[in-house]
Amino acid sequence: MPNSNKTYIAELKNNVGRQVTLSGWLYNSRASGKIQFLIIRDGTGLCQCIVEKAKVADELFSRLKRLGQESSLTITGTVRADERSVGGYELTVTDAKIVSPTTDYPITPKSHGTDFLLKHRHLHLRSQRQWCIGKIRHTIIDAIRRFFNDNGFILIDTPIITATAGEDLQSLFEVDYFGSPLHLTQTGQLHVESAAMSFGKVYCFGPTFRAEKSKTRRHLTEFWMVEPEVAFIDLDGLLELAENFVSFIAADVLQNNKSQLETLGVDSATLEKIKPPFYRLTYTKVADILTGQKTRDFLAQQLEELKNQKQQLETKIAELEKQQTGQLKQWQKDKIAAELIELRSTLGEVDTRIENNPKHAKLAAEFQWGKDLGGSDETIISQMHDKPVFVTHYPKEAKAFYMKTDRDEEGVVLNFDLLAPAGFGEIIGGSVREDDYDLLLARIAEYGLDVENYRWYLDLRKYGSVPHGGFGLGVERTVAWLTAEKHIRQCIAFPRLMDKIYI
Ligand code: ATP
Ligand code: MG
């Protein structure tokens, strides 16, 4: 087998009619008498390889037939275009070499529970879903860097071990630093602020840590955040930057990951809508919406739709259960079993949503001006919109000490959260920063922070203070939204969660 023939599945389109050799793993296979259908994956895609008994050596044919899922192999054959086939191309096999045969691969094409899959994360990363999400995450991270690099921003690497807190003190991870208590960074913001006074436009991009004590589908204890910071900018300027940035990322995913979006079942039309301008609401307006008739009607209608969905799922499940009892080939049984696991899991989610609907309705109806928006409040606002929504001007008590107070409106700060649509909730938090020395000093004291740790930060307000601001976008939340993945733990290769670190 000449090595020069080695081809990746992604390159098959340029090799129709030629003989090529693929190197990869056996993703799935089925046999039907004198013919076998092997689905191979090689990191760039999937390809169905057809092995006919008459065209290969007898011994090879029977070894391939016994080959277990995830065995590694090289396989040679002629490329054929076939629209119906996974990936659009097939290989008519003439030869194969088994690199390492495998038996009893623990993850089968049938579904498994979440806990099992997280324990087997090192293997689960090979699954189609995780592979698609990983490819899209890569595009998102690449787009993030390109957007800032091409728009005159300078990358600043901020420290991971710090003495300053950027967010709530309850979520700090302590580090024993040669006998002194320090902590892992919650945000690079305070440091990028000082860099913005040197370079004008900067960003940091790295891991951040928060000891989140609640288990939600939106929180990890270690996540990646990109934080641009700009000197001489106001709130409107920040909103414009954020909407251009997020639209750029979405466009890049659309351009580079069409087939992954399709595999994940994401409708590209939802991504095509992500273009400026995004919706803009003030916090006060949101509080009115939550406590008003619009939310009551919206949630009542949603409950109706969920009940209908439940009924349809139950009918489908009953049908498949009936089919299961008939005369079927093994692969057909497996297919139905996998579908049933999928449907039952969706039914479980629908049941939870039916159960939560009145609770969320109650929380929304009782929402009081002054509180931060809760997860369910964000979800409601986010579900009401088909494009991202900026919520601006929060009450100052609900937000961090460094946010600039609105000089025109008592009690609110010049900040924004960006809520992704379709229920995904907050993906960005940002603000104009307090640039007045005395006001900032007072806020540091009010928040019970040790002013000594913030002397350097206060210096920025002493030496050439300027209006400035920035925001932080969470990578995993963005991945979850753009891949329509319900749980953030699927959006990073090795998630860190409150209750457990698996791998
Ligand atoms: P939330 O209210 O949802 O906890 P936050 O207000 O604490 O978010 P910020 O401090 O504004 O969030 O952080 C900026 C961004 O970082 C958020 O918009 C989100 O995308 C991301 N983020 C924050 N906390 C987490 C977390 N625990 N896990 C994953 N991403 C997070
Ligand atoms: Mg938080």
Side-chain angles (χ1 to χ4, degrees):
M1 238 184 307
N3 210 24
S4 57
N5 274 354
K6 179 171 160 25
T7 306
Y8 285 103
I9 291 171
E11 292 161 1
L12 290 181
K13 58 178 180 291
N14 306 322
N15 286 286
V16 175
R18 292 204 194 116
Q19 172 159 307
V20 299
T21 297
L22 299 175
S23 309
W25 295 264
L26 182 62
Y27 183 69
N28 204 350
S29 66
R30 72 189 161 88
S32 166
K34 293 191 165 53
I35 189 160
Q36 292 176 44
F37 303 91
L38 310 182
I39 305 221
I40 304 293
R41 53 166 203 88
D42 74 346
T44 73
L46 292 177
C47 175
Q48 172 157 277
C49 303
I50 297 168
V51 193
E52 285 177 57
K53 196 166 184 340
K55 292 202 179 141
V56 295
D58 281 353
E59 202 226 328
L60 180 62
F61 191 81
S62 54
R63 284 183 72 201
L64 288 175
K65 205 164 179 177
R66 290 194 308 271
L67 205 59
Q69 189 190 338
E70 287 305 316
S71 294
S72 47
L73 72 163
T74 61
I75 194 157
T76 303
T78 313
V79 183
R80 223 162 50 81
D82 188 337
E83 267 183 27
R84 293 159 307 164
S85 193
V86 58
Y89 300 90
E90 280 185 350
L91 214 64
T92 309
V93 177
T94 51
D95 196 10
K97 285 206 164 42
I98 294 159
V99 178
S100 174
T102 294
T103 46
D104 300 328
Y105 184 68
I107 305 176
T108 64
K110 291 182 213 170
S111 288
H112 297 273
T114 306
D115 206 50
F116 178 89
L117 291 177
L118 284 171
K119 271 188 201 142
H120 292 82
R121 191 70 169 182
H122 53 299
L123 301 176
H124 188 216
L125 288 182
R126 305 178 189 192
S127 76
Q128 267 306 283
R129 223 186 135 72
Q130 282 305 316
W131 179 79
C132 289
I133 293 175
K135 295 270 284 186
I136 293 176
R137 180 183 166 110
H138 175 82
T139 301
I140 290 172
I141 289 177
D142 183 49
I144 288 172
R145 294 191 201 283
R146 229 166 342 103
F147 179 86
F148 290 120
N149 293 343
D150 292 352
N151 282 288
F153 284 72
I154 300 296
L155 174 71
I156 302 294
D157 295 316
T158 50
I160 285 176
I161 300 172
T162 66
T164 47
E167 301 300 322
D168 63 308
L169 297 175
Q170 287 76 48
S171 70
L172 291 173
F173 275 115
E174 243 189 48
V175 177
D176 178 353
Y177 195 73
F178 305 108
S180 301
L182 291 180
H183 48 257
L184 299 179
T185 188
Q186 295 171 308
T187 163
Q189 182 207 312
L190 307 193
H191 293 88
V192 277
E193 277 186 57
S194 63
M197 302 305 140
S198 171
F199 299 95
K201 297 201 283 188
V202 296
Y203 71 103
C204 64
F205 192 5
T208 40
F209 305 86
R210 299 194 189 174
E212 305 281 3
K213 306 244 169 35
S214 61
K215 293 184 227 168
T216 78
R217 64 189 169 88
R218 293 183 185 149
H219 291 95
L220 294 165
T221 55
E222 179 181 311
F223 62 97
W224 284 70
M225 182 153 63
V226 57
E227 297 177 86
E229 189 73 28
V230 181
F232 297 103
I233 196 164
D234 59 10
L235 187 58
D236 284 340
L238 281 175
L239 300 189
E240 218 175 285
L241 177 66
E243 67 192 354
N244 287 333
F245 172 51
V246 169
S247 304
F248 181 83
I249 296 173
D252 237 41
V253 170
L254 264 177
Q255 195 184 332
N256 294 302
N257 300 100
K258 269 237 148 64
S259 76
Q260 285 83 35
L261 291 170
E262 206 178 295
T263 305
L264 294 171
V266 179
D267 181 0
S268 325
T270 60
L271 266 67
E272 273 153 22
K273 282 209 185 110
I274 308 168
K275 288 198 182 112
F278 295 169
Y279 298 106
R280 285 158 165 75
L281 297 174
T282 63
Y283 165 93
T284 302
K285 174 81 186 155
V286 166
D288 286 347
I289 294 174
L290 287 171
T291 52
Q293 192 61 38
K294 187 173 170 191
T295 295
R296 280 195 288 279
D297 292 346
F298 179 79
L299 288 176
Q301 194 196 334
Q302 194 173 67
L303 188 59
E304 272 317 297
E305 283 165 11
L306 285 168
K307 284 179 176 164
N308 283 340
Q309 201 185 343
K310 180 180 160 86
Q311 210 168 33
Q312 282 167 13
L313 283 165
E314 283 171 342
T315 313
K316 187 92 212 278
I317 288 172
E319 267 171 30
L320 286 176
E321 281 171 344
K322 200 165 149 215
Q323 274 185 35
Q324 244 181 346
T325 58
Q327 279 283 340
L328 295 172
K329 297 230 167 68
Q330 189 56 44
W331 68 269
Q332 290 172 315
K333 280 191 199 160
D334 289 350
K335 191 163 168 262
I336 293 181
E339 252 177 86
L340 274 172
I341 293 174
E342 209 47 53
L343 287 170
R344 288 192 188 115
S345 140
T346 311
L347 180 63
E349 282 155 22
V350 170
D351 277 334
T352 313
R353 290 186 63 194
I354 290 176
E355 202 181 300
N356 283 336
N357 180 286
K359 292 184 205 159
H360 293 173
K362 186 163 184 283
L363 283 171
E366 290 170 359
F367 186 81
Q368 279 176 347
W369 199 98
K371 289 196 313 181
D372 200 359
L373 294 179
S376 62
D377 304 320
E378 280 180 5
T379 305
I380 294 168
I381 298 299
S382 149
Q383 281 169 339
M384 284 175 173
H385 293 87
D386 58 354
K387 272 215 264 194
V389 193
F390 287 116
V391 183
T392 64
H393 302 88
Y394 280 60
K396 88 179 199 214
E397 309 80 63
K399 288 290 167 186
F401 73 93
Y402 52 73
M403 295 189 180
K404 182 169 178 168
T405 49
D406 188 346
R407 311 299 200 248
D408 299 327
E409 195 184 335
E410 186 64 25
V412 302
V413 283
L414 298 173
N415 82 311
F416 72 95
D417 279 355
L418 180 66
L419 311 184
F424 283 92
E426 183 189 324
I427 54 166
I428 292 185
S431 75
V432 179
R433 322 303 187 188
E434 186 53 73
D435 51 31
D436 179 273
Y437 185 94
D438 294 324
L439 291 177
L440 183 61
L441 184 63
R443 295 273 278 170
I444 289 172
E446 245 173 72
Y447 275 69
L449 302 168
D450 180 355
V451 89
E452 287 317 310
N453 288 335
Y454 296 84
R455 287 283 173 216
W456 66 267
Y457 185 62
L458 281 157
D459 267 358
L460 306 178
R461 282 69 181 166
K462 220 161 133 187
Y463 305 111
S465 188
V466 300
H468 67 285
F471 57 81
L473 169 127
V475 168
E476 292 75 17
R477 295 235 187 133
T478 307
V479 174
W481 165 44
L482 295 177
T483 60
E485 168 53 54
K486 286 178 218 85
H487 206 297
I488 195 170
R489 67 183 164 225
Q490 305 301 359
C491 301
I492 183 165
F494 301 101
R496 268 70 187 108
L497 303 160
M498 177 203 162
D499 48 349
K500 236 183 247 169
I501 288 183
Y502 292 87
I503 288 177

